[in-house]
């Protein structure tokens, strides 16, 4: 299985990359991003571009993909709706449209968030934009598309968020996060379970195109059981 991974240097993307490297069914990971990973691995092919709206130069490398795991995202904090929409909706759909054209049989997995507004009419700016992005992705001619809506994400395996406010949040909760995740599995996932769940839905699908924290955790357990 050959997959494209966007956002491999972010907190979620690092977890997804780790699980792809560990999974024997994944033969190659095409990591696309603005900055180099700073690592080398026989399964990894890196495509670095300062402008992810301009990926036509990589069309040959982005063909023959089985899946795209789209973990790229920005915090809406301090951003106008126009700027946030440009980096969330516009960028995601630019990438998705290119991949749909090059790979008619591809499965697209998008990291959204708990509370995303599918109606696109609510008061929360980020939730409206994420909802619009999800809706647009589900209209594209993919083999399948899945929207991941994690709640609180517990970083494992030494992974850290690139967002300063998130790093402060995780530092403050510290050792409380793993036991909280066990107590409230319907609201929390880990970087590890998100990666496992993505591989599970790519291989075997899911009953719904939208997966909340409980669905993500269940898919991860199924993936561990299958392997």
């Amino acid at each position: 299985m050959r997959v494209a991974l966007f956002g491999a240097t972010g907190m979620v993307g690092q977890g997804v990359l780790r699980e792809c490297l560990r999974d024997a069914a994944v033969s190659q990971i095409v990591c696309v991003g603005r900055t180099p990973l700073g690592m080398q691995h026989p399964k990894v092919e890196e495509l670095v571009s300062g402008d992810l709206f301009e990926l036509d130069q990589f069309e040959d490398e982005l063909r023959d993909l089985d899946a795209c795991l789209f973990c790229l995202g920005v915090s809406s904090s301090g951003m106008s709706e126009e700027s946030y929409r440009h980096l969330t909706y516009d960028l995601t759909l630019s990438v998705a449209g290119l991949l749909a054209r090059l790979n008619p049989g591809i499965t697209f997995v998008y990291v959204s968030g708990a509370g995303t507004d599918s109606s696109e009419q609510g008061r929360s700016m980020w939730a409206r934009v994420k909802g619009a992005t999800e809706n647009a992705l589900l209209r594209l001619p993919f083999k399948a598309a899945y929207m991941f809506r994690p709640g609180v994400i517990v970083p494992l395996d030494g992974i850290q968020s690139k967002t300063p406010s998130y790093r402060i949040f995780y530092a403050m909760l510290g050792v409380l996060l793993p036991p909280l995740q066990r107590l409230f599995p319907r609201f929390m996932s880990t970087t590890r379970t998100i990666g496992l769940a993505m591989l599970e839905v790519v291989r075997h699908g899911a009953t719904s195109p939208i997966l909340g924290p409980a669905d993500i955790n269940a898919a991860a357990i199924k993936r561990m059981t299958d392997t």
Side-chain angles (χ1 to χ4, degrees), residues 43-62:
K43 289 170 68 168
V44 173
E45 178 181 357
E46 228 182 320
L47 305 178
V48 179
S49 174
D51 185 356
L52 297 182
F53 282 94
E54 300 293 337
L55 295 179
D56 292 349
Q57 60 182 312
F58 297 124
E59 282 196 5
D60 289 342
E61 293 86 347
L62 294 172

Side-chain angles (χ1 to χ4, degrees), residues 84-134:
Y84 183 67
R85 186 179 180 89
H86 182 64
L87 293 176
T88 301
Y89 180 95
D90 294 342
L91 178 56
T92 305
L93 269 294
S94 174
V95 170
L98 174 65
L99 294 183
R101 175 170 63 83
L102 298 176
N103 305 277
I106 195 171
T107 295
F108 197 96
V109 184
Y110 176 65
V111 178
S112 187
T116 291
D117 179 12
S118 297
S119 76
E120 306 178 34
Q121 302 298 318
R123 291 186 177 183
S124 174
M125 180 271 282
W126 76 265
R128 289 196 307 271
V129 174
K130 284 284 192 179
T133 307
E134 285 188 356

